[in-house]
Amino acid sequence: MNDQTRVPRTLPRFSATFDPQTTSEIRRAAATGIYDIRGGGAKRKVPHFDDLLFLGASMSRYPLEGYREKCGTSVVLGARFARKPIELKIPVTIAGMSFGSLSAQAKEALGRGASAVGTSTTTGDGGMTQEERGHSSILVYQYLPSRYGMNPDDLRRADAIEVVVGQGAKPGGGGMLLGQKISKRVAAMRTLPEGIDQRSSCRHPDWTGPDDLEIKIEELREITDWEKPIYVKVGASRPYYDTALAVKAGADVIVLDGMQGGTAATQEVFIEHVGIPILAAIRPAVRALQDLGMHRKVQLIVSGGIRNGADVAKALALGADVASIGTAALIALGDNDPRFEAEYQALGTTAGAYDDWHEGRDPAGITTQDPELAKRLDPVAAGRRLANYLSVLTLEAQTIARACGKSHVHNLEPEDLVALTVEAAAMAGVPLAGTSWIPGSPVG
Amino acid sequence: MTTEAPAKTFDLATSSVRELNQFLHRVKEGANLPRWRVLNPRGVHAIAAGVDADVTIEIDGDVGYYCAGMNKQATVIVNGNAGLGLGENMMSGLIYVKGDVSQAAGATAHGGAIVIEGNASGRCGISMKGVDILVKGSIGPMSAFMAQAGTLTVFGDAGEALGDSIYEAKLYVRGSVKSLGADCIEKPMEDIHRAELYERLKLAGAAGEVDIGDFRRYGSARALYHFHVDNAGAY
Ligand SMILES: Cc1cc2nc3c(=O)[nH]c(=O)nc-3n(C[C@H](O)[C@H](O)[C@H](O)COP(=O)(O)O)c2cc1C
């Protein structure tokens, strides 16, 4: 034996910059020549609600009795201009997800689950289906650049209208639905040939900028005789100014979607690199509302990575009125369930990581138009799971609110929060735990 | 034109567009198909938006944005010019404009017909989904962008990037086309197209006005219907 072979070797070391994920993407790009498209939201770690903590009650703040004292959760949306505002029983709603990206069964399940607990669902880039109108007691109708399936009858059938300017996963990007999911029914609803790769535009065809939007909103109000609340949805990027401009344009409700927010199909580079985390967006949006005297008059719905009642409570404490969920709702229905592990493996992935939603081969039958796969989702059972999950989110948010001594979840406030990291303290505008230090200077 | 009911008038100098639209929305089937005359529109927005009844609404003057937006069934006549988004997302009926129209005329409209005596600005027929648009003058740039279905007929010229990323809409232009957008090509004008064009002109009451033989036809090359790396430059 040679002495030299016994020289200790350092372990093979992966580069933090060129990690295995990165190098595998370089090889994929080199082999195909086209960017990666996937569903879901940003997967990398960004400052989030986990970086905040509630202080709870202490000598100077009195808690409410957990199961006895009332802690309200309802919220009225749209009272600014709409003749028929809507009331949600819980401060959580289901975000817009298109029929096309989701199966008809999944849309029905969302409607059933949300209705069971008194909250709303939202259509998406693909029009309104009978299933979701029928099963959603409160349905928000999205008004998107593509205007697929848009018609005045559905507009009037809706309970509220959401003008979509942007989405957190892709502020500045349009939609895409690849050929595998453009079934006969989806194609007919969108006035497109079957099986083509569909791109929807990123800008509205008949207005540009906030001054036009004001006139567009007036038109929508005229068509619906000023009945419906009108929301404006933006991806989180310049939340102070976007909120102020949406208020100026006449919105009843602002929907603010952070970069973690899910999408049906978008370029990976877009999902991971454009837009800001919801944690950083709420305070500037609230400040814009406060500066205009509109906080709690124009409601703020926030989304992007909301998972549990603590996230909901933190979003409300920062000044939002409602939290909205997409990805979590799909998981509650059964998306990425480990019981389909063998099938996820066959697709080259694993339960919990499956994000090729654009391919329409979802073993759980949710992000697909394949009738056989879609049949796997029982809308009644899935709706019940969603209702359970929404109840848990609400109970958890109430638990925290009571611990902070609040008789309504909307009484939570930034003063109930501290941050675990300097970044989160700066973004959320709350002190670093154990200090009175709020780093950074507010926008606007 | 014999048994026409007498027109009732609505004066926007003394009433609001809200009152006008609320009134028009209450006109339902079975009403004795009244004719409405709107005076003093003075560029007000959303005039006759969201009407869903077989009525005739004649507007004496210039209208603002989104006139007759989402129209169903109604015939809307504008004796003047029209602002942005004329007849946007129209479902059925007829819109007739004596003057010129601004951008995005007939945007995303699903059905019915729009006839414009004058010129139309840019993005005419953007994202159109089945409407038949006839412009007797010329149209501006980026017209028929992502146009999905229906016909756009132009007696005059078309601006830059006509039919960019077009789907299945059919474009007939008599004059020059400054340039074609991505995936839009000239296609042979055959008998069936001449017949279709004739039919459209006849419906618009313009059949004898031009020589069908002067038109050229444009539509989708369908090369961008599937993502492909070789087309990356076109997206
Ligand atoms: C499958 C899927 C489809 C979506 N489709 C739309 C859509 O059509 N329109 C839209 O505005 N947002 C769409 N979104 C975004 C959601 O409305 C919402 O902003 C986002 O999911 C919220 O973030 P979360 O997924 O982290 O809860 C979609 C999201 C998903 C997951």
Side-chain angles (χ1 to χ4, degrees):
Chain A
M1 219 184 237
N2 179 332
D3 257 8
Q4 287 215 324
T5 60
R6 265 188 253 120
V7 172
R9 302 274 296 266
T10 54
L11 288 172
R13 180 177 181 185
F14 287 110
S15 162
T17 309
F18 290 92
D19 62 11
Q21 182 71 40
T22 306
T23 52
S24 69
E25 167 54 17
I26 292 173
R27 281 186 289 276
R28 193 208 58 78
T32 65
I34 189 129
Y35 41 58
D36 189 23
I37 294 173
R38 68 169 175 86
K43 290 191 165 184
R44 59 152 139 183
K45 198 167 168 51
V46 293
H48 199 31
F49 294 121
D50 286 339
D51 302 318
L52 300 181
L53 293 173
F54 281 99
L55 292 171
S58 54
M59 290 291 280
S60 58
R61 305 260 178 143
Y62 314 114
L64 296 187
E65 206 63 67
Y67 294 98
R68 295 181 188 84
E69 285 178 295
K70 201 172 152 39
C71 176
T73 58
S74 65
V75 49
V76 174
L77 299 164
R80 183 186 184 197
F81 288 124
R83 283 200 289 125
K84 295 187 177 169
I86 59 179
E87 183 182 355
L88 308 183
K89 299 270 181 259
I90 63 169
V92 188
T93 176
I94 306 299
M97 293 181 274
S98 69
F99 166 68
S101 74
L102 300 184
S103 65
Q105 287 87 336
K107 289 299 277 179
E108 178 182 333
L110 292 173
R112 285 176 179 276
S115 301
V117 294
T119 193
S120 56
T121 58
T122 313
T123 65
D125 198 5
M128 183 189 288
T129 64
Q130 282 302 341
E131 289 94 330
E132 72 181 327
R133 178 59 282 188
H135 293 286
S136 304
S137 54
I138 307 172
L139 181 60
V140 182
Y141 187 32
Q142 283 200 330
Y143 190 72
L144 293 121
S146 70
R147 311 276 166 87
Y148 291 137
M150 169 55 54
N151 69 78
D153 301 324
D154 286 346
L155 203 67
R156 294 189 181 107
R157 257 197 289 275
D159 298 294
I161 300 163
E162 181 169 307
V163 179
V164 179
V165 177
Q167 211 181 305
K170 46 176 176 184
M176 54 171 81
L177 197 67
L178 301 193
Q180 299 91 315
K181 291 173 86 168
I182 308 279
S183 68
K184 209 182 188 90
R185 183 177 177 198
V186 172
M189 278 182 71
R190 299 181 185 219
T191 328
L192 288 169
E194 227 178 298
I196 68 161
D197 291 338
Q198 168 264 300
R199 298 152 286 154
S200 29
S201 48
C202 59
R203 287 198 309 266
H204 281 263
D206 58 354
W207 63 270
T208 343
D211 295 334
D212 282 2
L213 176 58
E214 188 169 350
I215 304 170
K216 172 51 74 178
I217 288 178
E218 185 190 322
E219 183 211 6
L220 295 172
R221 292 200 193 276
E222 279 298 319
I223 291 172
T224 53
D225 293 326
W226 291 73
E227 279 183 1
K228 322 282 179 196
I230 297 195
Y231 302 8
V232 173
K233 177 175 180 175
V234 293
S237 57
R238 299 174 187 84
Y240 181 86
Y241 297 103
D242 287 346
T243 302
L245 290 169
V247 169
K248 187 246 168 205
D252 291 305
V253 175
I254 316 280
V255 182
L256 184 63
D257 188 26
M259 74 170 284
Q260 303 99 318
T263 170
T266 301
Q267 298 91 332
E268 153 96 6
V269 70
F270 214 146
I271 298 175
E272 296 286 355
H273 297 279
V274 186
I276 66 173
I278 194 63
L279 184 73
I282 300 177
R283 289 306 291 279
V286 171
R287 200 170 306 114
L289 292 172
Q290 287 166 338
D291 288 352
L292 295 166
M294 285 292 166
H295 190 217
R296 306 285 186 215
K297 292 186 184 139
V298 167
Q299 287 74 39
L300 179 65
I301 301 179
V302 301
S303 57
I306 304 271
R307 304 151 298 176
N308 52 45
D311 289 349
V312 173
K314 289 168 187 174
L316 300 187
L318 293 177
D321 295 272
V322 177
S324 176
I325 58 169
T327 305
L330 300 186
I331 294 169
L333 297 187
D335 169 66
N336 266 295
D337 192 319
R339 75 196 168 98
F340 298 114
E341 180 58 20
E343 288 174 71
Y344 289 122
Q345 293 280 342
L347 293 170
T349 181
T350 183
Y354 175 65
D355 59 14
D356 286 327
W357 298 349
H358 57 289
E359 291 177 351
R361 294 190 287 168
D362 183 359
I366 295 170
T367 57
T368 183
Q369 292 301 319
D370 178 326
E372 287 309 310
L373 290 172
K375 262 201 304 216
R376 292 182 179 186
L377 188 81
D378 172 358
V380 177
R384 206 171 300 128
R385 285 194 293 274
L386 177 63
N388 285 340
Y389 171 65
L390 288 168
S391 296
V392 171
L393 290 183
T394 308
L395 289 169
E396 288 178 344
Q398 283 176 304
T399 300
I400 288 172
R402 285 200 185 92
C404 297
K406 315 294 187 189
S407 61
H408 195 288
V409 288
H410 285 161
N411 295 341
L412 287 164
E413 53 196 337
E415 288 70 21
D416 292 315
L417 293 167
V418 292
L420 283 168
T421 66
V422 175
E423 290 85 349
M427 290 179 189
V430 300
L432 187 65
T435 78
S436 56
W437 182 41
I438 304 177
S441 56
V443 184
Chain B
M1 299 280 143
T2 47
T3 56
E4 221 167 59
K8 298 174 188 174
T9 58
F10 208 104
D11 191 345
L12 284 176
T14 51
S15 320
S16 67
V17 72
R18 180 77 288 265
E19 289 167 302
L20 169 66
N21 287 334
Q22 185 73 66
F23 201 93
L24 293 172
H25 294 172
R26 291 203 179 114
V27 178
K28 292 288 171 226
E29 303 305 321
N32 54 344
L33 309 185
R35 287 175 66 83
W36 285 89
R37 196 169 202 102
V38 178
L39 308 176
N40 296 306
R42 298 177 301 179
V44 166
H45 306 307
I47 293 178
V51 178
D52 183 4
D54 185 6
V55 293
T56 298
I57 302 157
E58 189 161 353
I59 306 163
D60 279 337
D62 301 331
V63 295
Y65 285 26
Y66 312 127
C67 177
M70 298 206 195
N71 183 43
K72 276 179 87 178
Q73 306 186 64
T75 297
V76 179
I77 300 164
V78 180
N79 293 316
N81 304 307
L84 191 113
L86 170 84
E88 66 87 16
N89 213 84
M90 177 160 79
M91 306 304 291
S92 61
L94 170 71
I95 300 174
Y96 178 86
V97 181
K98 287 263 170 69
D100 297 325
V101 307
S102 182
Q103 295 190 67
T108 77
H110 288 71
I114 298 178
V115 179
I116 296 157
E117 287 286 337
N119 303 303
S121 182
R123 302 166 186 231
C124 180
I126 183 170
S127 249
M128 54 194 273
K129 294 169 169 53
V131 67
D132 293 310
I133 303 176
L134 168 63
V135 181
K136 295 195 182 173
S138 296
I139 58 172
M142 289 303 279
S143 288
F145 173 68
M146 286 182 120
Q148 294 173 230
T151 61
L152 171 60
T153 307
V154 185
F155 286 2
D157 306 326
E160 287 160 328
L162 177 70
D164 192 277
S165 303
I166 188 172
Y167 291 103
E168 293 297 309
K170 296 177 182 137
L171 315 180
Y172 297 103
V173 183
R174 192 169 65 143
S176 68
V177 172
K178 191 146 191 205
S179 64
L180 292 173
D183 213 29
C184 185
I185 54 170
E186 182 169 355
K187 297 185 163 188
M189 189 78 182
E190 286 160 9
D191 283 347
I192 59 159
H193 307 115
R194 278 186 278 273
E196 179 186 59
L197 179 54
Y198 180 77
E199 208 44 46
R200 296 280 159 262
L201 294 180
K202 207 172 90 185
L203 285 174
E209 293 179 28
V210 284
D211 183 350
I212 299 266
D214 292 345
F215 285 84
R216 295 163 84 163
R217 181 169 77 101
Y218 305 88
S220 180
R222 304 188 179 101
L224 298 185
Y225 276 13
H226 295 277
F227 285 97
H228 194 277
V229 58
D230 296 336
N231 293 329
Y235 289 121

